[in-house]
Amino acid sequence: GIVAAGTVPFYGGGFRLFPFAGMRPGFAHIRLSHIHPAVATFNIRPLWQGTYRNHKHIHDFLVKDVMVEVDRPTPLHHSGDFMGTASKVRFQVTSDGQTRLVDFLD
């Protein structure tokens, strides 16, 4: 599974991971997903285009400030770089519209 955040729709290479990013200025799109790799492979086109919807496996939120907590230390990547592991991550959109990874805790 993944926990991912973005303020622009595209993750990279045209992959529309955050289809709701930019819908409300000042908010980030948080996506939580626990989709089986076989299901993801079968649905690669709608996933890539940002049109895949399955409320059992993908959960989307528009947030200004959120703390995400998982049950064990998990690899954390920021802008493609490995930052270590964390079990809590706080994302925040500031008043100037910038998204910041405020803190991550192990």
Side-chain angles (χ1 to χ4, degrees):
I2 65 164
V3 175
T7 55
V8 295
F10 298 99
Y11 179 74
F15 179 26
R16 195 174 176 90
L17 182 60
F18 308 108
F20 305 111
M23 292 184 85
R24 292 189 63 194
F27 284 79
H29 178 177
I30 298 284
R31 176 164 274 192
L32 311 175
S33 174
H34 56 94
I35 189 169
H36 190 279
V39 174
T41 301
F42 183 72
N43 292 284
I44 194 69
R45 181 169 292 196
L47 280 166
W48 198 268
Q49 295 171 338
T51 59
Y52 182 79
R53 302 290 181 270
N54 183 324
H55 299 292
K56 284 185 169 183
H57 302 291
I58 296 178
H59 310 282
D60 295 298
F61 305 92
L62 292 175
V63 300
K64 283 187 174 268
D65 191 351
V66 65
M67 174 74 79
V68 177
E69 186 172 351
V70 294
D71 62 356
R72 63 184 177 276
T74 303
L76 173 68
H77 296 261
H78 185 295
S79 302
D81 294 327
F82 178 68
M83 303 296 291
T85 61
S87 55
K88 292 182 185 179
V89 178
R90 182 177 175 201
F91 298 99
Q92 182 181 58
V93 179
T94 62
S95 60
D96 62 2
Q98 299 294 313
T99 304
R100 295 201 171 84
L101 171 62
V102 177
D103 201 1
F104 59 97
L105 310 164
D106 195 11

